Amino acid sequence: LHELGEKQRGSVALDPTAKARVEASREIVDRIVSTDEVVYGINTGFGLFSNVTVSADKLCALQDNLIRSHSAGCGEPLTRERSRRLLALRINVLAKGHSGIRAEVLEQMIAAFNADCIPVVPSKGTVGASGDLAPLSHIALGLMGEGDMWDPQGGIAPAAEVLARANLTPIRLGAKEGLAMINGTQLIASLGAEAVERAGRAARLADYIAALSLEV
């Protein structure tokens, strides 16, 4: 994970077995949509609006607006490396096949990661254990071609421009996919993994220093 966070170091790919799980999970979502079965997060509102049924022609707009409304982080952006690790972990979670996302959307996320087209994520705004909704929304927003991205050539630029220069197509969310993109705690996991790595290095250095300080 640490190496994946480094610019242009490491790439990811979707294993065929994982892809099969993702496709099977998506079939369940598609069946629900086609039969008009009412299921929370697929064809209903969220939270207090969970009792509001959303018509089929507005399901995509529902997911887009979920991402836009939750992209409310603030403060300085996370470093490019931390945002890369965040995206890598989210790809890993979605590849498990429990979220109902389409395989083609997951492949688009992977393509953006491998091209080093990484959305800019504000450092403040997560609600912690209840889910990293704001940070993950900023990840999704950038992949949708909205908001800002770290440019592989350096600096920050509008996401749509960065994707276009990399010959990548912005993600278009379908039913439930906005919810799938943001329902998780990958920022906590990403920062926690970095802390463990840094603590391990500090402990090893402390041992080396102590050893070198002793008289033989």
Side-chain angles (χ1 to χ4, degrees):
L1 181 61
H2 177 75
E3 291 187 358
L4 285 175
E6 300 301 316
K7 182 180 178 182
Q8 297 291 6
R9 289 188 64 185
S11 60
V12 297
L14 186 60
D15 182 83
T17 303
K19 184 175 182 179
R21 291 197 301 265
V22 170
E23 291 173 339
S25 176
R26 183 62 196 183
E27 288 176 3
I28 297 173
V29 176
D30 290 340
R31 176 183 55 78
I32 290 170
V33 173
S34 65
T35 59
D36 291 329
E37 179 183 353
V38 177
V39 175
Y40 177 79
I42 297 180
N43 47 20
T44 71
F46 308 102
L48 294 175
F49 299 100
S50 61
N51 60 343
V52 177
T53 302
V54 180
S55 60
D57 63 321
K58 295 181 179 178
L59 295 183
C60 293
L62 174 70
Q63 301 301 315
D64 289 343
N65 289 335
L66 174 67
I67 298 302
R68 291 167 182 147
S69 66
H70 282 68
S71 296
C74 60
E76 294 296 315
L78 295 174
T79 63
R80 183 193 206 109
E81 293 75 20
R82 287 174 173 172
S83 296
R84 276 180 62 87
R85 285 192 283 268
L86 172 58
L87 178 54
L89 285 176
R90 194 61 201 157
I91 289 170
N92 179 65
V93 166
L94 294 174
K96 297 182 184 300
H98 302 310
S99 300
I101 199 167
R102 287 171 293 159
E104 53 264 41
V105 171
L106 185 53
E107 293 281 15
Q108 286 180 278
M109 296 175 67
I110 291 171
F113 179 88
N114 290 340
D116 201 32
C117 296
I118 309 299
V120 171
V121 180
S123 58
K124 298 179 181 179
T126 182
V127 292
S130 296
D132 294 320
L133 300 178
L136 288 170
S137 290
H138 282 282
I139 287 285
L141 189 72
L143 296 173
M144 290 164 57
E146 303 179 25
D148 293 327
M149 268 189 172
W150 294 99
D151 193 322
Q153 305 305 316
I156 294 174
E161 296 178 9
V162 175
L163 292 172
R165 283 195 290 270
N167 294 317
L168 297 175
T169 303
I171 287 173
R172 293 291 174 259
L173 299 176
K176 196 187 180 292
E177 290 181 325
L179 195 60
M181 294 283 279
I182 69 174
N183 194 7
T185 54
Q186 280 63 60
L187 178 62
I188 295 171
S190 173
L191 297 182
E194 179 186 350
V196 169
E197 174 69 19
R198 293 176 65 183
R201 290 183 181 182
R204 288 191 295 273
L205 288 173
D207 289 340
Y208 299 154
I209 293 168
L212 292 169
S213 301
L214 295 175
E215 292 185 8
V216 178

